[in-house]
Amino acid sequence: MKALLVERLSGDLSGVSLADVLEPQRASGEVLVRVRAASLNYPDLLMTRGEYQFKPPLPFVSGLECAGEVIEADADSGFAIGDRVMGGNKTGAFAEIAAIPARGLSPIPEGLSFAQGAAMGAAYSTAYTGLVELCGLEEGQWVLVHGASGGVGLAACDLAKALGAQVIAATGMAAKREGIMTRARPDRVIIAEGRFREAVSEITEGALADIVIDPVGGDVFDESTRCVAFGGKLVVVGFTSGRIAEIATNIPLIKGFSVVGLRAGEYARRFPERGRAINAAVRELAEAGRISPAVDRTLPLADWRAGFEAMARRELVGKVVFEP
């Protein structure tokens, strides 16, 4: 079968190629899925460079998540041949067939395409874990979302609005304003450059943000410490800026806010019953039409490089979805 194979770590994708590989052999507890769509996540790019916390042994098939049809499963897995499913593992999704643990799969919500199903899982479970599980989001609260054109950022905007919050979407690129407004439905979009606290204060009439979602880090994190309301939460999702920020502990002490680390996958692994509840809640919102995953573009898997390079250049407003 065709699969996107990482044979060597590199900063320019030179160690990655579309290759002919053997179809995966399903182990007990796994489900074989014929992949119809697979979405690109930032960790996929980082893993080609060896810069992600999970470092699979070489060579490996890239791809965190996909959507498709079940072609083989254990009788007690809860899945049958032909079921439309979405989910994934840490690798293996960018292929014609993927072997995925049954616990990592769920039915595609009614009304969603394969592309939307592939784009929903990791982003929305991450956003829901941060907003609801860790921060206890309440209706009417102000939520500031950085990296609002990315998968997690768009999902956080979409979910927060669906749950009754007031949302400020932040981006570092003015050209993305219109796309974010169209796809994420925030109350306002701001440019997160320099001293953006003043913009947040003006929008919230001095209340500042009850919850800040930050996948960017660096200077954005530094200024976000000035944007959190007393008793609020600053959620660390990642460091797409390339700099891991530091904070003097007197700042959250004096301002009375919490810095919260968000690892949704690990949270679900440690608390599987909560992981199932999160998936069920997101599925219910999707089937009710209250949330909708944003797809920036759909590409044949043969055009994988264009998708990876668009992500590296920060061109996207939504997910890249590959079709094998």
PDB file of all heavy atoms in Angstrom, residues 90-127:
ATOM      1  N   LYS A  90      -0.579   7.507  17.546  1.00  0.00           N
ATOM      2  CA  LYS A  90       0.464   8.520  17.420  1.00  0.00           C
ATOM      3  C   LYS A  90       1.110   8.536  16.040  1.00  0.00           C
ATOM      4  O   LYS A  90       1.708   9.537  15.632  1.00  0.00           O
ATOM      5  CB  LYS A  90       1.527   8.308  18.501  1.00  0.00           C
ATOM      6  CG  LYS A  90       0.983   8.528  19.915  1.00  0.00           C
ATOM      7  CD  LYS A  90       2.045   8.259  20.955  1.00  0.00           C
ATOM      8  CE  LYS A  90       1.492   8.506  22.354  1.00  0.00           C
ATOM      9  NZ  LYS A  90       2.494   8.235  23.416  1.00  0.00           N
ATOM     10  N   THR A  91       0.979   7.446  15.309  1.00  0.00           N
ATOM     11  CA  THR A  91       1.523   7.346  13.952  1.00  0.00           C
ATOM     12  C   THR A  91       0.591   6.470  13.124  1.00  0.00           C
ATOM     13  O   THR A  91      -0.336   5.846  13.644  1.00  0.00           O
ATOM     14  CB  THR A  91       2.935   6.718  13.944  1.00  0.00           C
ATOM     15  OG1 THR A  91       2.856   5.396  14.517  1.00  0.00           O
ATOM     16  CG2 THR A  91       3.926   7.556  14.749  1.00  0.00           C
ATOM     17  N   GLY A  92       0.854   6.420  11.799  1.00  0.00           N
ATOM     18  CA  GLY A  92       0.209   5.438  10.942  1.00  0.00           C
ATOM     19  C   GLY A  92      -0.995   5.885  10.155  1.00  0.00           C
ATOM     20  O   GLY A  92      -1.527   5.109   9.355  1.00  0.00           O
ATOM     21  N   ALA A  93      -1.450   7.133  10.310  1.00  0.00           N
ATOM     22  CA  ALA A  93      -2.706   7.548   9.679  1.00  0.00           C
ATOM     23  C   ALA A  93      -2.557   7.926   8.213  1.00  0.00           C
ATOM     24  O   ALA A  93      -3.519   7.844   7.452  1.00  0.00           O
ATOM     25  CB  ALA A  93      -3.312   8.719  10.451  1.00  0.00           C
ATOM     26  N   PHE A  94      -1.357   8.357   7.792  1.00  0.00           N
ATOM     27  CA  PHE A  94      -1.168   8.773   6.404  1.00  0.00           C
ATOM     28  C   PHE A  94      -0.837   7.562   5.540  1.00  0.00           C
ATOM     29  O   PHE A  94       0.284   7.369   5.078  1.00  0.00           O
ATOM     30  CB  PHE A  94      -0.066   9.828   6.305  1.00  0.00           C
ATOM     31  CG  PHE A  94      -0.378  11.110   7.040  1.00  0.00           C
ATOM     32  CD1 PHE A  94       0.653  11.916   7.505  1.00  0.00           C
ATOM     33  CD2 PHE A  94      -1.682  11.513   7.268  1.00  0.00           C
ATOM     34  CE1 PHE A  94       0.382  13.099   8.173  1.00  0.00           C
ATOM     35  CE2 PHE A  94      -1.968  12.688   7.944  1.00  0.00           C
ATOM     36  CZ  PHE A  94      -0.935  13.486   8.402  1.00  0.00           C
ATOM     37  N   ALA A  95      -1.854   6.741   5.335  1.00  0.00           N
ATOM     38  CA  ALA A  95      -1.687   5.488   4.603  1.00  0.00           C
ATOM     39  C   ALA A  95      -3.047   5.060   4.071  1.00  0.00           C
ATOM     40  O   ALA A  95      -4.084   5.593   4.473  1.00  0.00           O
ATOM     41  CB  ALA A  95      -1.113   4.411   5.516  1.00  0.00           C
ATOM     42  N   GLU A  96      -3.029   4.093   3.185  1.00  0.00           N
ATOM     43  CA  GLU A  96      -4.289   3.595   2.638  1.00  0.00           C
ATOM     44  C   GLU A  96      -5.044   2.751   3.657  1.00  0.00           C
ATOM     45  O   GLU A  96      -6.278   2.701   3.643  1.00  0.00           O
ATOM     46  CB  GLU A  96      -4.015   2.787   1.376  1.00  0.00           C
ATOM     47  CG  GLU A  96      -3.481   3.653   0.238  1.00  0.00           C
ATOM     48  CD  GLU A  96      -3.156   2.856  -1.011  1.00  0.00           C
ATOM     49  OE1 GLU A  96      -2.574   1.760  -0.893  1.00  0.00           O
ATOM     50  OE2 GLU A  96      -3.479   3.351  -2.116  1.00  0.00           O
ATOM     51  N   ILE A  97      -4.300   2.075   4.540  1.00  0.00           N
ATOM     52  CA  ILE A  97      -4.903   1.263   5.599  1.00  0.00           C
ATOM     53  C   ILE A  97      -4.141   1.534   6.891  1.00  0.00           C
ATOM     54  O   ILE A  97      -2.909   1.640   6.886  1.00  0.00           O
ATOM     55  CB  ILE A  97      -4.851  -0.241   5.254  1.00  0.00           C
ATOM     56  CG1 ILE A  97      -5.687  -0.524   3.999  1.00  0.00           C
ATOM     57  CG2 ILE A  97      -5.349  -1.091   6.418  1.00  0.00           C
ATOM     58  CD1 ILE A  97      -5.565  -1.948   3.490  1.00  0.00           C
ATOM     59  N   ALA A  98      -4.877   1.648   8.000  1.00  0.00           N
ATOM     60  CA  ALA A  98      -4.252   1.896   9.298  1.00  0.00           C
ATOM     61  C   ALA A  98      -4.765   0.891  10.319  1.00  0.00           C
ATOM     62  O   ALA A  98      -5.935   0.506  10.290  1.00  0.00           O
ATOM     63  CB  ALA A  98      -4.547   3.312   9.784  1.00  0.00           C
ATOM     64  N   ALA A  99      -3.877   0.449  11.202  1.00  0.00           N
ATOM     65  CA  ALA A  99      -4.253  -0.407  12.327  1.00  0.00           C
ATOM     66  C   ALA A  99      -4.299   0.476  13.572  1.00  0.00           C
ATOM     67  O   ALA A  99      -3.275   1.031  13.975  1.00  0.00           O
ATOM     68  CB  ALA A  99      -3.253  -1.542  12.506  1.00  0.00           C
ATOM     69  N   ILE A 100      -5.476   0.601  14.170  1.00  0.00           N
ATOM     70  CA  ILE A 100      -5.680   1.554  15.262  1.00  0.00           C
ATOM     71  C   ILE A 100      -6.313   0.839  16.448  1.00  0.00           C
ATOM     72  O   ILE A 100      -7.264   0.063  16.269  1.00  0.00           O
ATOM     73  CB  ILE A 100      -6.609   2.701  14.801  1.00  0.00           C
ATOM     74  CG1 ILE A 100      -5.982   3.429  13.601  1.00  0.00           C
ATOM     75  CG2 ILE A 100      -6.874   3.690  15.935  1.00  0.00           C
ATOM     76  CD1 ILE A 100      -6.915   4.416  12.938  1.00  0.00           C
ATOM     77  N   PRO A 101      -5.816   1.059  17.666  1.00  0.00           N
ATOM     78  CA  PRO A 101      -6.468   0.459  18.838  1.00  0.00           C
ATOM     79  C   PRO A 101      -7.949   0.845  18.889  1.00  0.00           C
ATOM     80  O   PRO A 101      -8.306   1.997  18.619  1.00  0.00           O
ATOM     81  CB  PRO A 101      -5.701   1.069  20.018  1.00  0.00           C
ATOM     82  CG  PRO A 101      -4.365   1.424  19.454  1.00  0.00           C
ATOM     83  CD  PRO A 101      -4.624   1.854  18.043  1.00  0.00           C
ATOM     84  N   ALA A 102      -8.786  -0.121  19.219  1.00  0.00           N
ATOM     85  CA  ALA A 102     -10.227   0.139  19.252  1.00  0.00           C
ATOM     86  C   ALA A 102     -10.572   1.299  20.180  1.00  0.00           C
ATOM     87  O   ALA A 102     -11.487   2.082  19.900  1.00  0.00           O
ATOM     88  CB  ALA A 102     -10.973  -1.127  19.686  1.00  0.00           C
ATOM     89  N   ARG A 103      -9.822   1.431  21.277  1.00  0.00           N
ATOM     90  CA  ARG A 103     -10.100   2.521  22.220  1.00  0.00           C
ATOM     91  C   ARG A 103      -9.804   3.891  21.613  1.00  0.00           C
ATOM     92  O   ARG A 103     -10.260   4.921  22.135  1.00  0.00           O
ATOM     93  CB  ARG A 103      -9.278   2.348  23.495  1.00  0.00           C
ATOM     94  CG  ARG A 103      -7.779   2.453  23.298  1.00  0.00           C
ATOM     95  CD  ARG A 103      -6.996   2.293  24.583  1.00  0.00           C
ATOM     96  NE  ARG A 103      -5.559   2.428  24.371  1.00  0.00           N
ATOM     97  CZ  ARG A 103      -4.763   1.468  23.952  1.00  0.00           C
ATOM     98  NH1 ARG A 103      -5.269   0.256  23.713  1.00  0.00           N
ATOM     99  NH2 ARG A 103      -3.466   1.692  23.779  1.00  0.00           N
ATOM    100  N   GLY A 104      -9.043   3.924  20.522  1.00  0.00           N
ATOM    101  CA  GLY A 104      -8.716   5.186  19.869  1.00  0.00           C
ATOM    102  C   GLY A 104      -9.660   5.561  18.749  1.00  0.00           C
ATOM    103  O   GLY A 104      -9.404   6.524  18.025  1.00  0.00           O
ATOM    104  N   LEU A 105     -10.748   4.808  18.602  1.00  0.00           N
ATOM    105  CA  LEU A 105     -11.716   5.064  17.528  1.00  0.00           C
ATOM    106  C   LEU A 105     -13.087   5.386  18.094  1.00  0.00           C
ATOM    107  O   LEU A 105     -13.451   4.939  19.188  1.00  0.00           O
ATOM    108  CB  LEU A 105     -11.833   3.837  16.622  1.00  0.00           C
ATOM    109  CG  LEU A 105     -10.652   3.512  15.714  1.00  0.00           C
ATOM    110  CD1 LEU A 105     -10.881   2.167  15.043  1.00  0.00           C
ATOM    111  CD2 LEU A 105     -10.445   4.606  14.667  1.00  0.00           C
ATOM    112  N   SER A 106     -13.857   6.126  17.315  1.00  0.00           N
ATOM    113  CA  SER A 106     -15.257   6.380  17.652  1.00  0.00           C
ATOM    114  C   SER A 106     -16.026   6.564  16.350  1.00  0.00           C
ATOM    115  O   SER A 106     -15.429   6.866  15.303  1.00  0.00           O
ATOM    116  CB  SER A 106     -15.398   7.623  18.535  1.00  0.00           C
ATOM    117  OG  SER A 106     -14.884   8.765  17.885  1.00  0.00           O
ATOM    118  N   PRO A 107     -17.344   6.376  16.371  1.00  0.00           N
ATOM    119  CA  PRO A 107     -18.128   6.578  15.155  1.00  0.00           C
ATOM    120  C   PRO A 107     -18.068   8.038  14.698  1.00  0.00           C
ATOM    121  O   PRO A 107     -18.028   8.952  15.527  1.00  0.00           O
ATOM    122  CB  PRO A 107     -19.547   6.194  15.587  1.00  0.00           C
ATOM    123  CG  PRO A 107     -19.379   5.370  16.816  1.00  0.00           C
ATOM    124  CD  PRO A 107     -18.163   5.895  17.496  1.00  0.00           C
ATOM    125  N   ILE A 108     -18.075   8.255  13.406  1.00  0.00           N
ATOM    126  CA  ILE A 108     -18.153   9.613  12.876  1.00  0.00           C
ATOM    127  C   ILE A 108     -19.550  10.159  13.167  1.00  0.00           C
ATOM    128  O   ILE A 108     -20.552   9.496  12.875  1.00  0.00           O
ATOM    129  CB  ILE A 108     -17.883   9.643  11.363  1.00  0.00           C
ATOM    130  CG1 ILE A 108     -16.455   9.165  11.073  1.00  0.00           C
ATOM    131  CG2 ILE A 108     -18.096  11.041  10.792  1.00  0.00           C
ATOM    132  CD1 ILE A 108     -16.133   9.057   9.594  1.00  0.00           C
ATOM    133  N   PRO A 109     -19.681  11.329  13.764  1.00  0.00           N
ATOM    134  CA  PRO A 109     -21.007  11.890  14.042  1.00  0.00           C
ATOM    135  C   PRO A 109     -21.850  12.000  12.774  1.00  0.00           C
ATOM    136  O   PRO A 109     -21.335  12.296  11.691  1.00  0.00           O
ATOM    137  CB  PRO A 109     -20.693  13.280  14.625  1.00  0.00           C
ATOM    138  CG  PRO A 109     -19.334  13.129  15.223  1.00  0.00           C
ATOM    139  CD  PRO A 109     -18.603  12.189  14.298  1.00  0.00           C
ATOM    140  N   GLU A 110     -23.124  11.748  12.919  1.00  0.00           N
ATOM    141  CA  GLU A 110     -24.046  11.856  11.786  1.00  0.00           C
ATOM    142  C   GLU A 110     -23.959  13.253  11.178  1.00  0.00           C
ATOM    143  O   GLU A 110     -23.927  14.256  11.887  1.00  0.00           O
ATOM    144  CB  GLU A 110     -25.480  11.577  12.233  1.00  0.00           C
ATOM    145  CG  GLU A 110     -25.728  10.133  12.651  1.00  0.00           C
ATOM    146  CD  GLU A 110     -25.564   9.154  11.498  1.00  0.00           C
ATOM    147  OE1 GLU A 110     -25.852   9.547  10.356  1.00  0.00           O
ATOM    148  OE2 GLU A 110     -25.145   8.004  11.744  1.00  0.00           O
ATOM    149  N   GLY A 111     -23.914  13.293   9.858  1.00  0.00           N
ATOM    150  CA  GLY A 111     -23.883  14.571   9.170  1.00  0.00           C
ATOM    151  C   GLY A 111     -22.497  15.066   8.830  1.00  0.00           C
ATOM    152  O   GLY A 111     -22.353  16.047   8.093  1.00  0.00           O
ATOM    153  N   LEU A 112     -21.453  14.417   9.362  1.00  0.00           N
ATOM    154  CA  LEU A 112     -20.085  14.836   9.079  1.00  0.00           C
ATOM    155  C   LEU A 112     -19.482  13.955   7.989  1.00  0.00           C
ATOM    156  O   LEU A 112     -19.717  12.744   7.937  1.00  0.00           O
ATOM    157  CB  LEU A 112     -19.209  14.753  10.333  1.00  0.00           C
ATOM    158  CG  LEU A 112     -19.015  16.055  11.124  1.00  0.00           C
ATOM    159  CD1 LEU A 112     -20.345  16.577  11.623  1.00  0.00           C
ATOM    160  CD2 LEU A 112     -18.049  15.843  12.279  1.00  0.00           C
ATOM    161  N   SER A 113     -18.703  14.574   7.110  1.00  0.00           N
ATOM    162  CA  SER A 113     -17.987  13.846   6.064  1.00  0.00           C
ATOM    163  C   SER A 113     -16.757  13.168   6.649  1.00  0.00           C
ATOM    164  O   SER A 113     -16.370  13.418   7.797  1.00  0.00           O
ATOM    165  CB  SER A 113     -17.560  14.818   4.965  1.00  0.00           C
ATOM    166  OG  SER A 113     -16.603  15.737   5.481  1.00  0.00           O
ATOM    167  N   PHE A 114     -16.111  12.335   5.841  1.00  0.00           N
ATOM    168  CA  PHE A 114     -14.855  11.728   6.288  1.00  0.00           C
ATOM    169  C   PHE A 114     -13.824  12.822   6.590  1.00  0.00           C
ATOM    170  O   PHE A 114     -13.092  12.735   7.581  1.00  0.00           O
ATOM    171  CB  PHE A 114     -14.298  10.776   5.224  1.00  0.00           C
ATOM    172  CG  PHE A 114     -15.011   9.454   5.143  1.00  0.00           C
ATOM    173  CD1 PHE A 114     -15.628   9.048   3.967  1.00  0.00           C
ATOM    174  CD2 PHE A 114     -15.063   8.604   6.239  1.00  0.00           C
ATOM    175  CE1 PHE A 114     -16.272   7.817   3.884  1.00  0.00           C
ATOM    176  CE2 PHE A 114     -15.707   7.370   6.173  1.00  0.00           C
ATOM    177  CZ  PHE A 114     -16.321   6.983   4.993  1.00  0.00           C
ATOM    178  N   ALA A 115     -13.761  13.844   5.740  1.00  0.00           N
ATOM    179  CA  ALA A 115     -12.793  14.920   5.949  1.00  0.00           C
ATOM    180  C   ALA A 115     -13.059  15.644   7.268  1.00  0.00           C
ATOM    181  O   ALA A 115     -12.130  15.931   8.030  1.00  0.00           O
ATOM    182  CB  ALA A 115     -12.844  15.909   4.784  1.00  0.00           C
ATOM    183  N   GLN A 116     -14.320  15.943   7.561  1.00  0.00           N
ATOM    184  CA  GLN A 116     -14.646  16.614   8.816  1.00  0.00           C
ATOM    185  C   GLN A 116     -14.371  15.710  10.011  1.00  0.00           C
ATOM    186  O   GLN A 116     -13.901  16.164  11.056  1.00  0.00           O
ATOM    187  CB  GLN A 116     -16.107  17.045   8.810  1.00  0.00           C
ATOM    188  CG  GLN A 116     -16.407  18.207   7.882  1.00  0.00           C
ATOM    189  CD  GLN A 116     -17.882  18.512   7.827  1.00  0.00           C
ATOM    190  OE1 GLN A 116     -18.709  17.626   7.588  1.00  0.00           O
ATOM    191  NE2 GLN A 116     -18.232  19.762   8.064  1.00  0.00           N
ATOM    192  N   GLY A 117     -14.651  14.418   9.850  1.00  0.00           N
ATOM    193  CA  GLY A 117     -14.371  13.479  10.930  1.00  0.00           C
ATOM    194  C   GLY A 117     -12.882  13.409  11.235  1.00  0.00           C
ATOM    195  O   GLY A 117     -12.472  13.408  12.401  1.00  0.00           O
ATOM    196  N   ALA A 118     -12.063  13.382  10.177  1.00  0.00           N
ATOM    197  CA  ALA A 118     -10.622  13.348  10.371  1.00  0.00           C
ATOM    198  C   ALA A 118     -10.124  14.621  11.026  1.00  0.00           C
ATOM    199  O   ALA A 118      -9.156  14.610  11.786  1.00  0.00           O
ATOM    200  CB  ALA A 118      -9.923  13.138   9.030  1.00  0.00           C
ATOM    201  N   ALA A 119     -10.778  15.744  10.737  1.00  0.00           N
ATOM    202  CA  ALA A 119     -10.342  17.036  11.271  1.00  0.00           C
ATOM    203  C   ALA A 119     -10.836  17.300  12.688  1.00  0.00           C
ATOM    204  O   ALA A 119     -10.338  18.211  13.345  1.00  0.00           O
ATOM    205  CB  ALA A 119     -10.834  18.157  10.347  1.00  0.00           C
ATOM    206  N   MET A 120     -11.778  16.520  13.176  1.00  0.00           N
ATOM    207  CA  MET A 120     -12.424  16.853  14.441  1.00  0.00           C
ATOM    208  C   MET A 120     -11.726  16.294  15.674  1.00  0.00           C
ATOM    209  O   MET A 120     -11.550  16.993  16.673  1.00  0.00           O
ATOM    210  CB  MET A 120     -13.877  16.380  14.445  1.00  0.00           C
ATOM    211  CG  MET A 120     -14.679  16.949  15.622  1.00  0.00           C
ATOM    212  SD  MET A 120     -16.429  16.542  15.564  1.00  0.00           S
ATOM    213  CE  MET A 120     -16.408  14.944  16.338  1.00  0.00           C
ATOM    214  N   GLY A 121     -11.319  15.030  15.626  1.00  0.00           N
ATOM    215  CA  GLY A 121     -10.946  14.290  16.826  1.00  0.00           C
ATOM    216  C   GLY A 121      -9.983  14.959  17.776  1.00  0.00           C
ATOM    217  O   GLY A 121     -10.344  15.414  18.869  1.00  0.00           O
ATOM    218  N   ALA A 122      -8.714  15.049  17.410  1.00  0.00           N
ATOM    219  CA  ALA A 122      -7.686  15.548  18.318  1.00  0.00           C
ATOM    220  C   ALA A 122      -7.909  17.006  18.680  1.00  0.00           C
ATOM    221  O   ALA A 122      -7.770  17.400  19.846  1.00  0.00           O
ATOM    222  CB  ALA A 122      -6.303  15.371  17.703  1.00  0.00           C
ATOM    223  N   ALA A 123      -8.267  17.828  17.705  1.00  0.00           N
ATOM    224  CA  ALA A 123      -8.440  19.260  17.964  1.00  0.00           C
ATOM    225  C   ALA A 123      -9.572  19.518  18.940  1.00  0.00           C
ATOM    226  O   ALA A 123      -9.428  20.291  19.904  1.00  0.00           O
ATOM    227  CB  ALA A 123      -8.689  20.000  16.651  1.00  0.00           C
ATOM    228  N   TYR A 124     -10.704  18.882  18.723  1.00  0.00           N
ATOM    229  CA  TYR A 124     -11.868  19.155  19.572  1.00  0.00           C
ATOM    230  C   TYR A 124     -11.762  18.494  20.935  1.00  0.00           C
ATOM    231  O   TYR A 124     -12.207  19.056  21.938  1.00  0.00           O
ATOM    232  CB  TYR A 124     -13.160  18.741  18.859  1.00  0.00           C
ATOM    233  CG  TYR A 124     -13.643  19.809  17.904  1.00  0.00           C
ATOM    234  CD1 TYR A 124     -13.085  19.936  16.636  1.00  0.00           C
ATOM    235  CD2 TYR A 124     -14.637  20.707  18.275  1.00  0.00           C
ATOM    236  CE1 TYR A 124     -13.495  20.930  15.769  1.00  0.00           C
ATOM    237  CE2 TYR A 124     -15.059  21.703  17.409  1.00  0.00           C
ATOM    238  CZ  TYR A 124     -14.481  21.807  16.156  1.00  0.00           C
ATOM    239  OH  TYR A 124     -14.896  22.813  15.301  1.00  0.00           O
ATOM    240  N   SER A 125     -11.143  17.317  21.001  1.00  0.00           N
ATOM    241  CA  SER A 125     -10.958  16.713  22.324  1.00  0.00           C
ATOM    242  C   SER A 125      -9.976  17.531  23.146  1.00  0.00           C
ATOM    243  O   SER A 125     -10.150  17.708  24.365  1.00  0.00           O
ATOM    244  CB  SER A 125     -10.477  15.262  22.198  1.00  0.00           C
ATOM    245  OG  SER A 125      -9.211  15.184  21.563  1.00  0.00           O
ATOM    246  N   THR A 126      -8.949  18.086  22.489  1.00  0.00           N
ATOM    247  CA  THR A 126      -8.003  18.957  23.186  1.00  0.00           C
ATOM    248  C   THR A 126      -8.698  20.214  23.683  1.00  0.00           C
ATOM    249  O   THR A 126      -8.553  20.618  24.847  1.00  0.00           O
ATOM    250  CB  THR A 126      -6.833  19.333  22.265  1.00  0.00           C
ATOM    251  OG1 THR A 126      -6.122  18.151  21.896  1.00  0.00           O
ATOM    252  CG2 THR A 126      -5.872  20.287  22.953  1.00  0.00           C
ATOM    253  N   ALA A 127      -9.463  20.849  22.806  1.00  0.00           N
ATOM    254  CA  ALA A 127     -10.156  22.080  23.186  1.00  0.00           C
ATOM    255  C   ALA A 127     -11.161  21.837  24.308  1.00  0.00           C
ATOM    256  O   ALA A 127     -11.246  22.620  25.265  1.00  0.00           O
ATOM    257  CB  ALA A 127     -10.857  22.676  21.961  1.00  0.00           C
TER     258      ALA A 127
END
